[in-house]
Amino acid sequence: MLLMKKMAVLKSHGLFDIVLEMRGGASLSLTSLTAHELSELLDKRELSSKELTVAHLERIGSVDDKVKAFTTLTAEHALLQAEEIDKKRVHGEKLSPLAGIPMALKDNMCTRGIRTTCSSKILEDFVPPYDATVTEKLNSAGTVLLGKCNMDEFAMGSSTENSGFFATRNPHDLNAVPGGSSGGSAAAVAAQEAVFALGSDTGGSIRLPASFCGVVGLKPTYGCVSRYGLIAYASSLDQIGPLTRDMTDCALVMSAIAGHDPKDSTSAPMDIPDYSKYLVNNVKGMKIGLPKEYFGAGIDPQVLAYLQQAIGKLEEMGAICEEVSLPHTMYALPAYYIIAPAEASSNLARYDGVQYGLRVEAEDIVSMYCKTRSQGFGDEVKRRIMLGTYALSSGYYDAYYMKALKVRTLVKRDFDHVFENYDCLLTPTSPTVAFNHGEKADDPLTMYLSDICTIPVNLAGIPSLSLPFGQVNGRPVGLQLIGKAFDEGTLLRVGYSLEQSTNLTKPLPALKGGSRA
Amino acid sequence: MKISKQDVEHVAVLSRLELSENEKENYTETLNSILEYMELLNRVDTSDVEPTAHVLPLINIFREDKPHEPLDRKMALANAPDEEDGCFKVPRIV
């Protein structure tokens, strides 16, 4: 019904009016619709994928100099893909629900023939000779790739300020960071530059930007989505997932990208569920744990107030919300910042100027390695390589790396223990809303602490979702739902129920605020 | 001090990184504050705890020993900074 009303408005203004003023100055346009709404219009032939793609490219043209979400635009490629899908639709071919939908990929997912930089100078001119499995899956679902999204270099960061090229801005307030490391992906979806995007999450890199930018972000269970063709940061923690405008789109994208992949030996043997079947507006009798460690000191009182409102809503709908404890929570962050850099120091050893990427010439090969890596990697990447190398080096391995792996076991056990009695957990995604550009840039440890609520989940390998829920001074608040391994369904169901019961889950971006640096 | 400037220099060599004086100072300072924070872990008794390197119970992922379509040589070399006779070319090693 709402969609029909929206469409009537759109049509009365002509399909290509990019921004229509309504609802007290808020903007509504083709680019503000969700994938499932657009899919309906495409199916009814009220809209072609080419028209939709053009609308998004125009939107990018008008806002991306402010937001800076993209490292590479693939306009021509997008128009060709859109035309192809339009032809298939005309011929009556059976198409997936995402066919013809314009989307964007984080720039650490390989795209055959399209530059993939990881936002690093060391891969500035790298053109992959193959597609990542997620790229291939979205191609075969008929989606349209608009471009590649900016990120913290090699996914190391929480603000997208560590990109080797430029910082991305938060569409809700250009003075604020979009979160990281998938900041470009989240900002593109929030700024209506793409209908949805994929991000990757090693310690919160989908959920933190989803929270800061007011979109839905899901980190699936480890092994649920293939990592083949994802440029590795920390292989035992990395996982690809969707950033979308609502829960229904989240389920649609998950259905398109999940599943076992023989090309990824850490991929879980599983059938691909139809995630849409979990979109049920009913939480009656569900037991939701509220881990007290996430509600302690440091949480912004206004963020806490929204959380309490969400808890109230869930109880009203018949869920049982109770305090629980995850006693090792405070040890997750230091353990993570040993394990992830240790894995990174090994994964990033491949950037040596031999097979691909930057080479800085030198007389002998070791000098070539050193000069290439020193000029190609940014400050934070070098810091983490050194931290990881140190933690793995002779004499320190047991004190740091082995200790961290043991603490990881304890963090995982905490979750196993509460999930014996609870269906899922509710926490803030971040104790505060988005911080200002430059605010934490000079102090790595303070920046690391931004991920305090998201990191434990990666160590345990379990799924977790961030859902927008209200705004503080124009900056979105994110709720985090944490579930049992392979139980994304419960998270979708709780998220969907919250979404249906309030109007707090779809904040509109202002694209305003301050001067651009 | 958890880590000295000499340690940073040593770790840089292991990491194949060449650091400027400024970088050495900066990394000595920031790595120290990070490593001090890691001290928190020593409060946890892990004497009877097994390490977790990986969360999934996956072992020995095999596939049939059948050749697959390999990456075309030209494609494999397309991103090479330098090549000769179908091989990656690097500075003299010996």
Side-chain angles (χ1 to χ4, degrees):
Chain A
M1 254 337 264
L2 183 62
L3 176 61
M4 289 302 130
K5 247 189 251 165
K6 282 185 188 178
M7 275 319 293
V9 178
L10 282 173
K11 285 202 162 163
S12 68
H13 286 70
L15 210 53
F16 285 115
D17 280 353
I18 296 301
V19 174
L20 302 170
E21 296 298 321
M22 64 174 293
R23 278 195 280 162
S27 61
L28 174 72
S29 68
L30 263 188
T31 56
S32 71
L33 301 179
T34 61
H36 60 94
E37 289 168 337
L38 290 164
S39 183
E40 208 179 297
L41 297 174
L42 288 165
D43 269 348
K44 287 188 186 150
R45 312 263 182 89
E46 289 182 26
L47 176 69
S48 74
S49 174
K50 190 172 176 186
E51 288 166 328
L52 186 58
T53 302
V54 168
H56 280 88
L57 291 171
E58 286 179 10
R59 175 74 178 172
I60 292 168
S62 70
V63 303
D64 206 54
D65 66 325
K66 289 190 219 161
V67 179
K68 292 181 159 304
F70 287 89
T71 50
T72 304
L73 282 176
T74 53
E76 275 178 43
H77 172 85
L79 291 170
L80 285 174
Q81 278 187 316
E83 279 169 14
E84 205 177 303
I85 283 296
D86 284 336
K87 268 187 218 151
K88 286 186 179 171
R89 207 181 295 273
V90 168
H91 290 137
E93 278 186 42
K94 192 170 159 41
L95 298 172
S96 103
L98 293 177
I101 301 294
M103 59 85 191
L105 294 173
K106 186 176 182 180
D107 208 9
N108 59 354
M109 295 168 206
C110 284
T111 42
R112 189 181 151 97
I114 296 166
R115 191 173 81 125
T116 300
T117 69
C118 232
S119 287
S120 179
K121 292 255 191 289
I122 214 159
L123 287 175
E124 191 163 6
D125 300 313
F126 175 60
V127 179
Y130 66 96
D131 276 328
T133 295
V134 287
T135 309
E136 212 174 271
K137 283 189 171 232
L138 288 179
N139 273 338
S140 55
T143 62
V144 172
L145 178 68
L146 295 165
K148 306 296 290 286
C149 290
N150 197 26
M151 53 188 280
D152 286 297
E153 183 180 1
F154 283 98
M156 298 178 187
S158 310
S159 66
T160 318
E161 291 168 296
N162 287 340
S163 163
F165 308 130
F166 46 79
T168 298
R169 300 272 159 174
N170 190 320
H172 291 271
D173 182 342
L174 299 172
N175 283 330
V177 299
S181 67
S182 311
S185 299
V189 176
Q192 305 178 4
E193 296 175 89
V195 182
F196 74 88
L198 295 189
S200 66
D201 191 314
T202 307
S205 283
I206 290 173
R207 290 160 288 153
L208 190 70
S211 168
F212 284 5
C213 292
V215 298
V216 173
L218 173 68
K219 182 207 92 76
T221 307
Y222 183 85
C224 196
V225 178
S226 169
R227 293 185 299 110
Y228 178 76
L230 171 70
I231 298 176
Y233 160 23
S235 308
S236 82
L237 305 163
D238 296 341
Q239 187 61 199
I240 295 174
L243 290 134
T244 59
R245 297 222 173 93
D246 71 359
M247 295 303 307
T248 306
D249 278 8
C250 180
L252 283 177
V253 178
M254 272 306 286
S255 299
I257 63 173
H260 179 252
D261 179 12
K263 288 181 186 156
D264 172 3
S265 60
T266 61
S267 160
M270 58 180 266
D271 297 324
I272 309 168
D274 172 11
Y275 289 95
S276 301
K277 74 174 186 219
Y278 299 109
L279 300 169
V280 179
N281 183 6
N282 181 2
V283 292
K284 210 169 162 51
M286 213 174 242
K287 285 191 77 184
I288 300 173
L290 310 169
K292 64 176 183 192
E293 291 78 7
Y294 289 70
F295 290 80
I299 184 167
D300 181 311
Q302 296 185 79
V303 170
L304 184 61
Y306 276 116
L307 272 159
Q308 281 161 343
Q309 199 179 329
I311 294 163
K313 206 69 194 158
L314 289 165
E315 284 176 334
E316 214 175 276
M317 292 188 282
I320 301 145
C321 298
E322 291 170 349
E323 185 178 285
V324 298
S325 176
L326 300 163
H328 295 93
T329 299
M330 70 182 295
Y331 305 112
L333 194 95
Y336 171 89
Y337 275 103
I338 292 170
I339 294 166
E343 294 187 19
S345 71
S346 167
N347 275 327
L348 273 61
R350 73 190 69 178
Y351 303 101
D352 56 7
V354 174
Q355 296 176 47
Y356 49 81
L358 178 76
R359 173 187 293 189
V360 180
E361 296 293 349
E363 281 299 303
D364 64 283
I365 195 157
V366 175
S367 307
M368 183 199 88
Y369 295 154
C370 293
K371 286 189 193 308
T372 297
R373 292 164 62 78
S374 300
Q375 292 186 31
F377 290 138
D379 189 49
E380 182 59 27
V381 174
K382 289 185 209 174
R383 182 179 292 107
R384 293 200 197 181
I385 289 174
M386 290 206 292
L387 185 56
T389 304
Y390 179 76
L392 292 174
S393 66
S394 166
Y396 299 100
Y397 182 91
D398 284 331
Y400 289 105
Y401 184 64
M402 195 45 78
K403 182 80 187 180
L405 292 186
K406 289 179 176 175
V407 170
R408 183 177 186 179
T409 305
L410 296 173
V411 170
K412 186 172 180 298
R413 272 189 206 160
D414 280 355
F415 284 112
D416 291 344
H417 184 69
V418 295
F419 283 133
E420 283 170 15
N421 295 307
Y422 293 86
D423 297 299
C424 70
L425 308 176
L426 174 72
T427 77
T429 309
S430 162
T432 66
V433 293
F435 47 90
N436 287 333
H437 267 267
E439 191 177 324
K440 300 185 180 181
D442 295 331
D443 181 1
L445 188 57
T446 310
M447 185 69 89
Y448 296 174
L449 290 164
S450 314
D451 295 328
I452 194 121
C453 298
T454 52
I455 273 176
V457 157
N458 297 76
L459 292 179
I462 52 183
S464 169
L465 178 135
S466 181
L467 174 72
F469 204 84
Q471 279 168 289
V472 174
N473 302 325
R475 299 182 185 188
V477 174
L479 296 184
Q480 178 172 241
L481 296 166
I482 302 173
K484 299 172 193 174
F486 301 103
D487 190 20
E488 280 78 4
T490 297
L491 306 185
L492 290 168
R493 181 168 158 188
V494 176
Y496 183 78
S497 302
L498 276 172
E499 188 182 74
Q500 297 305 306
S501 69
T502 73
N503 55 6
L504 290 167
T505 62
K506 285 172 186 167
L508 283 169
L511 286 167
K512 280 185 203 146
S515 55
R516 281 190 295 123
Chain B
M1 283 275 278
K2 307 286 297 178
I3 185 168
S4 67
K5 193 172 149 194
Q6 285 70 35
D7 294 329
V8 168
E9 285 168 349
H10 174 63
V11 173
V13 170
L14 295 176
S15 310
R16 297 285 185 265
L17 291 169
E18 217 173 61
L19 302 182
S20 68
E21 276 308 305
N22 264 348
E23 284 180 307
K24 285 179 198 169
E25 302 287 339
N26 174 297
Y27 289 132
T28 307
E29 190 191 318
T30 53
L31 289 176
N32 261 308
S33 75
I34 295 163
L35 290 169
E36 265 162 39
Y37 179 67
M38 306 296 185
E39 280 295 297
L40 254 183
L41 294 178
N42 292 328
R43 291 201 212 158
V44 194
D45 179 7
T46 52
S47 41
D48 294 320
V49 181
E50 287 293 313
T52 298
H54 204 269
V55 289
L56 292 178
L58 293 171
I59 39 163
N60 296 342
I61 307 300
F62 294 125
R63 65 168 172 82
E64 286 300 305
D65 187 15
K66 281 188 195 145
H68 288 233
E69 195 61 38
L71 192 60
D72 175 76
R73 182 183 287 235
K74 250 169 76 185
M75 292 286 275
L77 286 165
N79 281 285
D82 200 2
E83 56 157 315
E84 195 174 301
D85 299 333
C87 298
F88 296 105
K89 192 177 173 187
V90 294
R92 173 184 286 274
I93 293 171
V94 284

